[in-house]
């Protein structure tokens, strides 16, 4: 079954949740590496979404460019 593509807001909410768990110390050592990996993946996906949105807005503002 394919994973549902997260929206930017959903991805950032998950990153915030991971950061909160890291800061509070509730993240078990066993989960640390996988949680940091997941946060990195989410951040990379958010960057892609932002770049795509920026390019689309630029095309809409400057259609002749």
């Amino acid at each position: 079954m394919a994973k549902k593509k997260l929206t930017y807001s959903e991805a950032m909410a998950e990153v915030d949740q991971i950061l909160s768990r890291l800061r509070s110390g509730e993240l078990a050592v066993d989960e640390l590496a996988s949680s940091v990996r997941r946060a990195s993946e989410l951040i990379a996906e958010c960057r892609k979404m932002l770049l795509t949105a920026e390019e689309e807005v630029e095309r809409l503002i400057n259609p002749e460019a």
Side-chain angles (χ1 to χ4, degrees):
M1 185 171 157
K3 283 186 184 179
K4 174 189 163 231
K5 182 154 172 71
L6 295 176
T7 66
Y8 181 86
S9 296
E10 292 168 334
M12 284 306 298
E14 190 174 338
V15 170
D16 286 340
Q17 182 181 39
I18 292 168
L19 284 174
S20 177
R21 291 183 70 207
L22 278 168
R23 289 181 180 139
S24 71
E26 71 180 72
L27 193 60
V29 172
D30 298 334
E31 299 175 274
L32 184 59
S34 63
S35 293
V36 171
R37 185 179 310 108
R38 176 67 177 156
S40 295
E41 292 167 354
L42 290 165
I43 291 167
E45 189 60 34
C46 285
R47 285 183 176 149
K48 281 191 232 175
M49 286 187 255
L50 287 172
L51 181 59
T52 300
E54 181 181 13
E55 289 169 350
E56 185 175 336
V57 168
E58 185 61 37
R59 280 193 302 273
L60 292 170
I61 292 173
N62 246 342
E64 298 169 3

